[in-house]
Amino acid sequence: MKVNSIDIFCEIIDNFGDIGVVYRISKELKKIFQNVRIRMVLNRLEEFKAINKKVKDADFQEIDGLICVTEKYVKENAETFGTADVFIEAFGCNVPEEYIKRAKENSKLWINLEYLSGEKWIEDFHLCESLIDSKTLKKIFYMPGFSEKSGGVIIDSGFLERKEYGKNNREEVLKKYFPNVDIKDKLIGTVFSYEKNFDNLLEVLKDYKRETFLILMGEKTQKSFSEILQKKLRENFGKIIKYGKITMMYADFLSQEEYEEVISAADFNFIRGEDSFVRGILLEKPFMWHIYLQEEKAHMDKIKAFTERFRESVEGLTEKETEILDNYCTLLEDYNDREKNSLEKGKEDFKVFFENFHEISIICEKYSKFLLEKCNLVKKLYKYIQEY
């Protein structure tokens, strides 16, 4: 299909995940479909402003070659706004009725982009048609996932460039963001999480064979560490804290690109949210994923589905590495086993992570290569649209 225009709709609830994904995929689609008009339609701008400093309080604006409009603008200008050849409904959001009414007569393809999942059943639904009352417009399910039969994960060229830069300029990048910290010979890690008790992590790292520098990111992470450290330390502390062989720093809020530079330069990353999680995997470095909490522990089904795909996708491991991968997957599950986000101490044993750091690095490198070669969502989507 020859495409002249693509619209992407996103309803932001209360976090940066949805806009992070939509902004990333929009930028990459613009690079692939160079002469195609790409428009993002957002219900609000606060989170987008936080991750991109160029975003203004305006209902219509152009950013990085993309047109960004508010849902309010679309409703108020339905007749002149028009529709696109292809439009993407991100994560089951509500596309305005005014738009859908016109799209059923003028658009060709409606893509229902779902949340990322490792669950096996998504492969059966990927690219299946959802019936609608239109003779010309077709609606399909697009299911992102961690297997070749799924829609894949979002891999963008901008991130890959930052990954290589951070990897090859580790010290320069870290000094740029943390000039007052001595990083020489230290193991560098980032922590970005929901509310969480990190007692187990601190106790393992306090006496670890190497000194560690932990970069604490996000309000919930920093608050979690503050609560724990106040019980361990009897003194006031600023942004930099020392505990045993650990140096910790409360980092300022970073844009999407700045965050990716820092995690690319770090040795390991504890990450939250789906979009950041995928970046963490693609870095070829040891990672931990704090998954979004769901009612009745539904998030545990997702984390277990991921660890199943993780295990079956990494090939060529020795017997010892296979055993370490199994223990690493158990740690990932224990790290997330919770009924609610709280500061209650968990059962996870981080010795698995740090005592097998070299082997886990090898495993993560192999897994990253699998995703890069077999599961590139944007390339898959481009191919599907071209062949439609």
Side-chain angles (χ1 to χ4, degrees):
M1 173 173 59
K2 179 172 172 52
V3 182
N4 295 308
S5 53
I6 300 175
D7 288 343
I8 306 176
F9 291 82
C10 175
E11 189 172 328
I12 303 164
I13 307 300
D14 61 353
N15 58 54
F16 304 109
D18 294 344
I19 180 59
V21 169
V22 167
Y23 179 40
R24 188 182 305 281
I25 198 171
S26 299
K27 285 189 291 183
E28 195 62 10
L29 287 174
K30 186 63 185 176
K31 284 187 180 177
I32 293 179
F33 293 99
Q34 291 187 357
N35 298 315
V36 172
R37 183 194 69 197
I38 310 274
R39 299 185 297 194
M40 299 166 56
V41 181
L42 309 178
N43 62 322
R44 51 197 248 187
L45 295 170
E46 290 308 309
E47 287 80 2
F48 194 22
K49 282 162 55 183
I51 65 169
N52 186 326
K53 292 167 185 168
K54 289 178 275 188
V55 180
K56 299 173 182 174
D57 273 320
D59 288 331
F60 186 104
Q61 56 194 305
E62 186 169 336
I63 299 157
D64 301 330
L66 308 168
I67 296 170
C68 176
V69 299
T70 61
E71 189 178 292
K72 172 173 166 281
Y73 180 91
V74 174
K75 289 178 178 175
E76 291 177 353
N77 299 274
E79 290 187 13
T80 55
F81 186 74
T83 59
D85 296 328
V86 178
F87 67 101
I88 300 175
E89 167 195 334
F91 318 123
C93 71
N94 292 312
V95 179
E97 282 300 321
E98 297 88 339
Y99 186 95
I100 290 177
K101 183 178 175 183
R102 287 172 171 77
K104 284 180 177 175
E105 297 175 358
N106 303 311
S107 298
K108 299 168 186 169
L109 184 60
W110 178 354
I111 297 172
N112 181 4
L113 178 69
E114 287 289 347
Y115 283 103
L116 177 67
S117 173
E119 292 168 284
K120 204 70 177 172
W121 63 265
I122 67 163
E123 295 174 356
D124 295 330
F125 283 84
H126 179 53
L127 300 182
C128 282
E129 186 171 357
S130 175
L131 297 178
I132 55 173
D133 57 336
S134 172
K135 293 179 180 176
T136 54
L137 177 65
K138 180 179 176 181
K139 182 176 182 181
I140 59 133
F141 289 104
Y142 197 94
M143 313 296 286
F146 300 96
S147 65
E148 290 183 70
K149 292 181 181 176
S150 72
V153 298
I154 300 174
I155 300 171
D156 60 297
S157 52
F159 166 73
L160 296 179
E161 288 169 9
R162 284 186 285 280
K163 170 187 168 182
E164 284 306 303
Y165 182 78
K167 181 179 169 184
N168 297 321
N169 300 276
R170 178 178 182 272
E171 191 165 332
E172 184 181 334
V173 170
L174 293 169
K175 280 293 179 189
K176 172 183 168 185
Y177 291 100
F178 313 105
N180 299 321
V181 179
D182 177 13
I183 60 169
K184 188 179 178 183
D185 299 327
K186 285 188 173 71
L187 185 69
I188 312 293
T190 71
V191 183
F192 183 38
S193 72
Y194 301 103
E195 293 86 351
K196 172 82 182 160
N197 185 310
F198 286 98
D199 248 333
N200 294 353
L201 175 66
L202 294 176
E203 290 311 306
V204 168
L205 287 179
K206 186 180 66 167
D207 302 315
Y208 187 54
K209 61 186 178 184
R210 289 180 65 183
E211 287 191 44
T212 309
F213 174 42
L214 290 182
I215 302 162
L216 311 180
M217 298 179 166
E219 186 180 348
K220 291 178 179 175
T221 309
Q222 294 173 359
K223 191 175 178 184
S224 297
F225 272 85
S226 292
E227 292 281 336
I228 298 164
L229 289 167
Q230 279 172 3
K231 295 174 185 172
K232 294 180 179 294
L233 306 175
R234 297 183 181 279
E235 56 188 285
N236 291 327
F237 46 84
K239 280 193 169 183
I240 299 178
I241 311 127
K242 290 195 175 181
Y243 179 67
K245 296 171 79 172
I246 316 166
T247 301
M248 289 166 272
M249 181 169 184
Y250 294 156
D252 294 333
F253 191 92
L254 301 174
S255 69
Q256 191 179 66
E257 289 82 3
E258 290 170 334
Y259 174 69
E260 289 169 7
E261 268 196 25
V262 172
I263 61 175
S264 299
D267 299 311
F268 67 89
N269 297 289
F270 284 24
I271 278 167
R272 88 175 204 201
E274 292 176 358
D275 189 50
S276 297
F277 172 48
V278 173
R279 301 318 114 203
I281 300 174
L282 294 174
L283 287 174
E284 307 175 3
K285 299 175 181 183
F287 62 85
M288 293 294 294
W289 177 29
H290 208 205
I291 193 170
Y292 185 76
L293 180 75
Q294 290 186 295
E295 291 181 3
E296 299 179 349
K297 299 180 78 169
H299 60 285
M300 290 307 295
D301 294 334
K302 288 189 174 182
I303 192 85
K304 287 176 181 173
F306 165 72
T307 55
E308 285 172 11
R309 301 290 82 71
F310 189 13
R311 283 187 179 100
E312 70 187 24
S313 303
V314 185
E315 297 178 343
L317 298 181
T318 64
E319 189 175 333
K320 182 186 175 188
E321 287 168 345
T322 301
E323 182 183 346
I324 289 170
L325 175 57
D326 285 340
N327 293 334
Y328 180 28
C329 287
T330 300
L331 173 64
L332 281 165
E333 291 170 11
D334 289 345
Y335 184 68
N336 285 286
D337 191 2
R338 63 201 196 277
E339 300 276 357
K340 59 183 179 179
N341 286 323
S342 74
L343 296 183
E344 185 179 344
K345 192 171 179 177
K347 64 178 181 181
E348 63 271 22
D349 182 359
F350 290 102
K351 286 180 184 173
V352 171
F353 191 87
F354 292 103
E355 289 180 357
N356 302 291
F357 197 82
H358 175 68
E359 290 83 358
I360 291 176
S361 297
I362 292 171
I363 292 166
C364 291
E365 188 176 345
K366 289 185 176 185
Y367 188 49
S368 172
K369 284 179 179 170
F370 165 78
L371 292 178
L372 285 165
E373 291 171 5
K374 307 282 181 65
C375 301
N376 188 320
L377 184 148
V378 181
K379 284 185 178 176
K380 282 173 173 263
L381 188 57
Y382 176 77
K383 185 170 183 287
Y384 179 80
I385 292 173
Q386 291 294 100
E387 294 176 353
Y388 179 76

